[in-house]
Amino acid sequence: MTDSTRTVFFKMDNVIQDYAWGSVTSIEQLFAIPNPDQKPQAEMWMGAHANGCSVITVNGEAVRLADFIATDPDAIIGAETQAKFAELPYLFKVLAAENALSVQVHPSKQQAEIGYAKEEKIGIARNAANRNYKDPNHKPELVFALTPYQAMNGFRQVAEIVALFQALNLEVINDLVATLAANQTEAGLGDFFAAMLSLEGENKDAAVQGLQAYCDANQDQPLFSLLLELATQYPGDIGLFAPLMLNVLTLQPGEAMFLSACTPHAYIKGTGLEIMANSDNVLRAGLTPKFMDVPELVANTEFTSMAVEQLLLAPTVAGGGLDYIVPVPDFKFSVYKQVDDLELQNTSAEILFAIDAPLTVTHHNGDTLTLEKGQSVFIPAYAKAYTANCTGMFARAYN
């Protein structure tokens, strides 16, 4: 069978992860995907990840996408991608958060390779609760908001952090705050961040209780109102101090943000599309009952302040759509709106997701497929080109 006669459009059956922080209603309301058991629909995974691999139909049989790719990777994901990554190098998701996810940092590629090799050597099981590195890969991410999407990303300016903590005036941490005020550098911020996350016992309890009291007295201010909401989700958690150290922003529908390696971040609430490198590596910094390795976290964190304005990712108008340029080779992401017979070229495997209207794709070999909103299609590299028609919006993941 030649590339010109092979099936080029594979409708995807995707795993929906029911993590506790997920929304029970958002995915069902946006995409008419049933939720009969009324479980949290936290993430819909589109890709070949082992923990939630999509299924496609090949010659009338249900086949895991990873197994299909393995039959002819050079043709299906592209020879260049296979040579560089030896797998589909991205995971595409719909993410619907009702409650906040943990504050977290992802290691760089080099850090992940070193950390993974170290943990393999000393024999920590890959599914162990105290395992930091599940694979030797980095995990840069892009999120595209479908609803108002609140998140934390990157450190505030150090002077702003000092001012917020000085306003708290909590005796148990005032010495730490004074030390940061006297040393407003990346090193000083790193020491302060590590010291806050390392608070234990009575000191931790006193700090969190003092923060709660301050928030109660200042709940008319959005930041402290948010902290009170987070405190109901994660009572007593040291991560409640994170919004005082990290930028808090709300993406509006259609806005996007890139999350770099070594940068602390957390999703708070909202539904969006997320695309990331194919990795499970997470170092946690609060708002979680899970394992936290503070020294390893600090070693993988860049203590660089970031202005909110530089966090948003402005798209480039190109090829009939909006391209969101990211500084990594693992993935590319584009969004198209109201296209009529738009021809798209592909040299890698692609996943298209219909956001709010039916999407029809057509190939010169006669293959055609129509997706309803909330559905996705896998398109192998051997398709080379196809035509798209959509009265609404669709997203494109590729590399």
Side-chain angles (χ1 to χ4, degrees), residues 35-72:
N35 186 15
D37 297 328
Q38 292 297 288
K39 289 184 176 181
Q41 292 179 311
E43 294 183 348
M44 183 166 73
W45 287 22
M46 296 172 279
H49 197 286
N51 292 340
C53 188
S54 299
V55 173
I56 60 174
T57 299
V58 182
N59 298 324
E61 293 188 5
V63 177
R64 293 172 70 253
L65 180 57
D67 295 336
F68 173 65
I69 291 171
T71 63
D72 192 353

Side-chain angles (χ1 to χ4, degrees), residues 54-315:
S54 299
V55 173
I56 60 174
T57 299
V58 182
N59 298 324
E61 293 188 5
V63 177
R64 293 172 70 253
L65 180 57
D67 295 336
F68 173 65
I69 291 171
T71 63
D72 192 353
D74 282 0
I76 294 171
I77 63 173
E80 186 176 339
T81 298
Q82 173 63 14
K84 185 173 180 62
F85 298 101
E87 64 177 359
L88 187 70
Y90 58 83
L91 177 61
F92 192 23
K93 298 179 180 180
V94 177
L95 187 150
E98 183 65 30
N99 294 325
L101 285 68
S102 60
V103 183
Q104 56 193 253
V105 167
H106 305 307
S108 69
K109 177 69 173 172
Q110 182 182 26
Q111 289 166 334
E113 289 172 346
I114 293 171
Y116 178 78
K118 179 181 177 181
E119 291 188 336
E120 286 287 282
K121 185 175 181 179
I122 61 179
I124 301 176
R126 292 181 196 173
N127 62 351
N130 65 332
R131 177 91 186 208
N132 289 313
Y133 302 92
K134 306 295 178 66
D135 53 68
N137 204 10
H138 63 169
K139 194 183 176 186
E141 303 171 356
L142 177 148
V143 62
F144 175 88
L146 297 175
T147 70
Y149 196 94
Q150 192 172 34
M152 292 181 268
N153 188 9
F155 286 104
R156 297 174 182 267
Q157 299 298 316
V158 179
E160 186 180 1
I161 296 171
V162 169
L164 286 168
F165 276 88
Q166 286 177 334
L168 294 180
N169 191 27
L170 302 180
E171 183 179 354
V172 68
I173 59 171
N174 275 346
D175 285 349
L176 298 179
V177 177
T179 300
L180 177 61
N183 183 20
Q184 297 188 30
T185 65
E186 292 182 13
L189 178 57
D191 290 343
F192 179 75
F193 185 70
M196 286 298 302
L197 292 181
S198 300
L199 288 175
E200 295 179 336
E202 293 181 358
N203 287 342
K204 174 189 169 185
D205 293 343
V208 173
Q209 289 165 10
L211 175 64
Q212 177 102 28
Y214 187 89
C215 293
D216 287 337
N218 293 275
Q219 56 188 283
D220 57 321
Q221 299 180 40
L223 177 59
F224 300 109
S225 174
L226 169 62
L227 283 167
L228 287 175
E229 183 179 348
L230 294 176
T232 66
Q233 300 172 20
Y234 299 98
D237 195 298
I238 198 63
L240 294 172
F241 285 96
L244 305 180
M245 294 184 274
L246 306 181
N247 294 302
V248 177
L249 69 163
T250 300
L251 303 181
Q252 296 306 312
E255 292 185 328
M257 178 173 67
F258 183 69
L259 299 106
S260 303
C262 306
T263 301
H265 61 274
Y267 298 146
I268 298 173
K269 190 171 185 178
T271 299
L273 299 177
E274 184 185 36
I275 182 169
M276 63 189 64
N278 204 24
S279 172
D280 255 352
N281 288 326
V282 176
L283 296 159
R284 293 177 177 84
L287 301 184
T288 179
K290 295 182 179 179
F291 174 68
M292 283 172 50
D293 184 338
V294 174
E296 196 69 19
L297 169 76
V298 170
N300 282 271
T301 300
E302 292 180 0
F303 295 94
T304 305
S305 295
M306 305 172 73
V308 171
E309 304 81 61
Q310 73 185 87
L311 296 174
L312 294 182
L313 196 59

